[in-house]
């Protein structure tokens, strides 16, 4: 049977796994204290917003039977 010489259609794709660059990326800059505090504050605000939405949203999702009061239409009260 005929077998292809290359495993992939283009030779540069096959060589991409073996290629190593001699150029090193620049070192990462350290995060300043104010930037770290602002990221922490944003995270806390988002977490507090989610917790608050759960706190205020869960009572509206409860069924009316648990409160002990049943709602009846106003028309049936006059009879």
């Amino acid at each position: 049977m005929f077998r292809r010489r290359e495993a992939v259609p283009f030779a540069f794709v096959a060589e991409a796994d073996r290629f190593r660059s001699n150029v090193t990326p620049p070192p990462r800059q350290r995060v300043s204290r104010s930037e770290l505090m602002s990221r922490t504050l944003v995270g806390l605000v988002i977490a507090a917003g989610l917790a608050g939405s759960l706190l205020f949203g869960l009572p509206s999702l409860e069924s009316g039977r648990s409160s002990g009061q049943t709602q009846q239409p106003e028309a049936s009260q006059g009879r």
Side-chain angles (χ1 to χ4, degrees), residues 56-68:
F56 290 119
L58 284 178
S60 65
L61 295 175
E62 291 179 359
S63 63
R65 286 180 257 148
S66 64
S67 64

Side-chain angles (χ1 to χ4, degrees), residues 1 4 6 9-10 14-16 18 22-24 29-30 32 36 41 46 48 51 56 59 64 67 71 75-76 78:
M1 289 212 100
R4 295 177 71 166
E6 299 174 346
F10 301 101
E15 294 173 3
R18 296 186 298 258
N22 61 353
V23 178
T24 59
Q29 293 181 353
R30 291 190 57 168
S32 66
L36 183 63
L41 182 63
I46 291 172
F56 290 119
S67 64
Q71 292 183 348
S76 66

Side-chain angles (χ1 to χ4, degrees), residues 3-79:
R3 182 169 177 190
R4 295 177 71 166
R5 208 174 94 182
E6 299 174 346
V8 292
F10 301 101
F12 66 88
V13 176
E15 294 173 3
D17 293 334
R18 296 186 298 258
F19 179 74
R20 297 282 297 185
S21 174
N22 61 353
V23 178
T24 59
R28 295 183 66 185
Q29 293 181 353
R30 291 190 57 168
V31 179
S32 66
R33 184 176 293 245
S34 62
E35 189 174 353
L36 183 63
M37 292 301 288
S38 65
R39 288 181 183 179
T40 304
L41 182 63
V42 167
L44 286 174
V45 166
I46 291 172
L50 289 173
S53 66
L54 280 175
L55 182 69
F56 290 119
L58 284 178
S60 65
L61 295 175
E62 291 179 359
S63 63
R65 286 180 257 148
S66 64
S67 64
Q69 297 176 353
T70 58
Q71 292 183 348
Q72 295 183 357
E74 293 179 14
S76 66
Q77 292 178 2
R79 295 184 183 187

